[in-house]
């Protein structure tokens, strides 16, 4: 059983930056592909970014491409989401997730961290 704990959320002005972290425990971190998702009030949860386990290929939603960067440190069992040029529409609860397979549903989810961007 993998446990995921997000941190780094907060309140920031539009144009600012935040870095989210997600610390994993209870499993072999390098065995998991990792993703970030977000859910804004009244909206469905949406994909933000994904990073593969070893080669560290990255994938992004169009809405964050060029502004957000996902990375991972397998030695620290941590995945990061660097968010720059933040916009009010980035306001959401951000979740990290892990999956052992290359495709399909994620197996484990964190509790989420709130990001609020003021205009």
């Amino acid at each position: 059983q993998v446990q995921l704990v997000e941190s780094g959320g907060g309140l920031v002005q539009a144009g600012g930056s935040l870095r989210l972290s997600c610390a994993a425990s209870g499993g072999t971190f390098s065995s998991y592909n990792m993703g970030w998702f977000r859910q804004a009030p009244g909206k469905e949860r949406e994909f933000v970014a994904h990073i593969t386990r070893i080669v560290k290929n990255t994938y992004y939603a169009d809405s964050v491409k060029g502004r957000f960067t996902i990375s991972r440190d397998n030695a620290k069992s941590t995945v990061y989401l660097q968010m720059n040029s933040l916009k009010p529409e980035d306001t959401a609860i951000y979740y990290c997730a892990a999956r052992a397979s290359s495709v399909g549903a994620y197996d484990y989810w964190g509790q989420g961290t709130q990001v609020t961007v003021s205009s």
Side-chain angles (χ1 to χ4, degrees):
Q1 187 78 8
V2 175
Q3 291 82 42
L4 303 172
V5 179
E6 302 95 336
S7 62
L11 174 63
V12 63
Q13 288 188 332
S17 299
L18 281 175
R19 188 176 84 152
L20 305 183
S21 300
C22 173
S25 62
T28 303
F29 181 72
S30 59
S31 299
Y32 291 92
N33 299 289
M34 301 297 297
W36 284 97
F37 291 74
R38 66 187 182 186
Q39 186 167 18
K43 295 188 177 181
E44 293 188 353
R45 185 166 58 192
E46 64 175 3
F47 167 77
V48 174
H50 177 87
I51 186 166
T52 60
R53 50 191 176 180
I54 301 297
V55 180
K56 302 181 183 179
N57 290 328
T58 57
Y59 306 88
Y60 298 93
D62 287 344
S63 59
V64 307
K65 205 171 291 183
R67 300 188 297 121
F68 291 11
T69 303
I70 187 171
S71 62
R72 66 189 294 162
D73 185 334
N74 286 344
K76 294 183 178 180
S77 298
T78 301
V79 62
Y80 304 97
L81 185 68
Q82 177 66 45
M83 306 186 294
N84 298 330
S85 302
L86 282 161
K87 304 175 182 179
E89 52 263 45
D90 294 318
T91 295
I93 299 174
Y94 283 71
Y95 300 90
C96 71
R99 70 181 185 207
S101 60
S102 297
V103 296
Y106 286 77
D107 304 300
Y108 304 101
W109 292 84
Q111 294 287 84
T113 186
Q114 176 71 48
V115 172
T116 303
V117 184
S118 63
S119 57

